[in-house]
Amino acid sequence: MHALMRQSAAHVRANSHFIHISTSKAPSIKETGLYGYNHLKTPKGFQRFVDDAIERSEELVNYIAGMPSSPEIIRAMDEISDTVCSVIDSAELCRHTHPDREFVDEASKAGLRINEFLHYLNTNHSIYKAVIKAEKDSSLTHEAQRAARFLRMDLEKGGIHLCPEKLDRANELSIDIIQLCREYNKNIITDPGHVDIFPASKIPKKMHHFVSPIYRNIPGASKESLGSRDNIKEKGFRIATEPSTLQGLLQCLPDAGVRKMAYVQGNSVPHANLEVLDKLIATRHEFAQLMGYKSYAEFSLHSTMAASPEVVLSFLLEMSKVVRPKADQEFEAIRDFKREKSGEPSGELEPWDEAYFTWLMKSATYKLDSSIIASYFPLPQCIEGLKILVESLFGVTFHRVPLAPGESWHPDVLKIVLHHPTEGDLGYLYLDLKSRKGKHPICAHFAIRGGRRVSETEYQLPEYQHFSGTRVVLDFAETPSNLFESYAWDYRVLKTFAKHYSTGDVIPKELVESMVGAKKMFAATELQRQIFYALVDQTLFGEQTSTGRDTMAIVADLKRQHTSWTHVEGTHWHTRFSHLTNYGAGYYSYLYAKCFATTIWQRICQEDPLSLDTGLALRTKFLQHGGAKDPADILNDLVGSGILRNCSGGIIPDITSLCEEMELKKR
């Protein structure tokens, strides 16, 4: 709903660490505030931050209303976008990571206030008329014309073209959607679920640091029969079933009954989100219909590469058919392994068995030991790997710089500068890589300030901020991160930095080959799961029936149709699938990115991944454009033909490279 914010919030990835990216100018070493903003020296500074952003934005709105030249309209609009996004992005990062509750609360208030102001901006007809004027000006540069077009489309996404009554309702719905998304995500954090396991012997000793000891009275026992009071207590363990630990626990629990309890509980919370999700679906649907669309999915996708839900579904159904035979083979292999290990020739394979037996199979086949693997990846060496990567590919130095007093939110945070020998400083990274209580548990990238041209002589690192960095169409945004995952599995890259924490020995090639083999061992099952997730997302936000729909039944049906696994009745894992809020109807974009990235890797990077020529192609033809260039043009310019396919008015990835990598047969 934020017309002046193109993808300004986090791109969330389901891993275990955070990387926070800032492209602001380096603050001096004198005392400053959070992220280098002087306003944020105290929690209450967020109030002033919002006040100043609103005041400056209103000045710019008045300037735009006077109908200056088209370039000045776009420049002023971009400054408004930069001003409000600086507050929103800072508040979002603070909400998710700051250990001080007062900072978190003030950031939350700031986010709500600036979002309310955005609704005013997005319904301002003076802005709308000015943007339309600029869009029609053929003398603008191509990038400025593109900015004008996207600004106009984004304003219309807020309903500015509607009659006053409908616009008022659209604003109400927009605020409701924001609040429902926050409630949904808050419930995930506050209600992770738990199971109590007795006796304590059911939990292996190597897992005791994951669980908490608890005690209960022995049923039927009395103090008289058992002696002292202490003797009537039985020790057990409480297992928290939050998403970040559940998968790891399921890998290591040998007791099937305990695995089942943990799986069922972890996939049955938070129950409150069933109602919240129903409300979110209904509210988004009403909003979309108000905008003239049949569904929220259609509303959300009309400006993406895919262009429509029909195109997305055709892509997902094709992928589902292609992956099914190999996923079925993998399922049968896991089932047979379980039967052999358990001594039950007719035993069934249950969903809570997957993590445990696939890990056993990988370990047995490739003789993997997670502690040995970890010994080659201490955090300092991983940061060294990033340094080597950017220097080798882009000729850019990568080194730590001191944080000014007040700039950081936690002692663990590192600040990194990226410097080019001829271009100067390109940007800065804040790295907050360690888990801690109260910190959002999944990986994300937060933009704090995007690059933009401030004047003829001054530049805020790096294009129009409206197109800076990850501010691109949704189904293109995850392509770079997927591409660089291939770097993380290539021995030629790993050997440059993956060294034993105590001996300094380079990671053995045989170990990397085993890691890669284990990764590929059940790759079809994992791909099938991602397709299933994307289908759930599309279906929930697709066309609605007049009587409403049971989301639990929808999810169960899709799992039966599109995966090899059974559904456990009564469970509802989707109520803590946070992508339904921040990627509503857009989860398929991860699969788009996987296909694009695989083709780019094979065609551009695989032969010589660390060469400057490879880096030059990636930077100049791919990364540097942000959202300033059409993604189809970017991909075709980088790779040539064979990375995209036209489909019913939209664009889908060519799946050939992915099928080759995963040894799938195209149909």
Side-chain angles (χ1 to χ4, degrees), residues 306-327:
S308 73
E310 291 75 21
V311 171
V312 172
L313 286 172
S314 70
F315 167 72
L316 294 175
L317 293 175
E318 178 188 15
M319 291 288 288
S320 181
K321 289 178 181 177
V322 168
V323 79
R324 187 63 185 251
K326 191 167 185 181

Side-chain angles (χ1 to χ4, degrees), residues 316-514:
L316 294 175
L317 293 175
E318 178 188 15
M319 291 288 288
S320 181
K321 289 178 181 177
V322 168
V323 79
R324 187 63 185 251
K326 191 167 185 181
D328 283 345
Q329 290 175 9
E330 292 177 358
F331 179 89
E332 291 165 4
I334 303 167
R335 183 194 60 199
D336 292 346
F337 182 82
K338 177 190 174 180
R339 288 174 175 176
E340 178 186 346
K341 283 290 182 183
S342 64
E344 299 177 8
S346 59
E348 294 300 322
L349 184 62
E350 304 291 354
W352 52 84
D353 293 327
E354 180 185 355
Y356 180 70
F357 286 106
T358 54
W359 179 247
L360 282 183
M361 292 175 74
K362 289 179 179 183
S363 299
T365 304
Y366 293 102
K367 305 295 187 290
L368 291 177
D369 183 325
S370 58
S371 63
I372 292 176
I373 294 171
S375 68
Y376 289 96
F377 294 94
L379 181 56
Q381 285 302 122
C382 291
I383 295 175
E384 179 68 14
L386 285 176
K387 177 182 177 181
I388 292 169
L389 183 63
V390 297
E391 288 183 354
S392 300
L393 271 178
F394 307 121
V396 173
T397 61
F398 179 108
H399 61 272
R400 184 176 178 179
V401 292
L403 284 148
E407 183 181 3
S408 179
W409 57 98
H410 192 274
D412 289 342
V413 175
L414 307 177
K415 184 178 182 181
I416 307 294
V417 63
L418 292 160
H419 181 84
H420 192 278
T422 59
E423 299 175 42
D425 291 346
L426 301 180
Y428 297 86
L429 310 176
Y430 289 132
L431 302 181
D432 184 2
L433 301 175
K434 297 180 181 178
S435 62
R436 59 179 176 270
K437 186 176 181 181
K439 179 181 170 183
H440 199 54
I442 59 177
C443 175
H445 144 215
F446 290 81
I448 300 176
R449 174 167 286 179
R452 60 186 294 268
R453 174 69 63 186
V454 178
S455 68
E456 289 301 316
T457 58
E458 188 180 359
Y459 202 73
Q460 175 178 295
L461 293 170
E463 306 155 342
Y464 281 121
Q465 93 88 33
H466 205 61
F467 290 143
S468 179
T470 56
R471 289 183 168 95
V472 299
V473 293
L474 185 64
D475 43 14
F476 187 49
E478 297 289 347
T479 304
S481 60
N482 274 264
L483 173 63
F484 282 100
E485 284 184 13
S486 294
Y487 276 81
W489 289 94
D490 192 286
Y491 179 69
R492 293 166 294 178
V493 177
L494 293 179
K495 71 179 182 179
T496 66
F497 73 91
K499 298 176 182 178
H500 197 277
Y501 73 96
S502 63
T503 67
D505 292 340
V506 174
I507 190 168
K509 187 174 183 179
E510 296 76 17
L511 178 57
V512 175
E513 289 173 346
S514 293

Side-chain angles (χ1 to χ4, degrees), residues 535-568:
L535 284 165
V536 167
D537 177 47
Q538 282 298 305
T539 306
L540 292 181
F541 294 113
E543 292 189 47
Q544 308 292 306
T545 63
S546 58
T547 56
R549 300 177 301 167
D550 179 353
T551 63
M552 289 176 66
I554 290 169
V555 171
D557 287 344
L558 288 171
K559 187 170 186 180
R560 294 185 190 100
Q561 293 173 37
H562 295 282
T563 81
S564 311
W565 297 79
T566 58
H567 172 72
V568 181

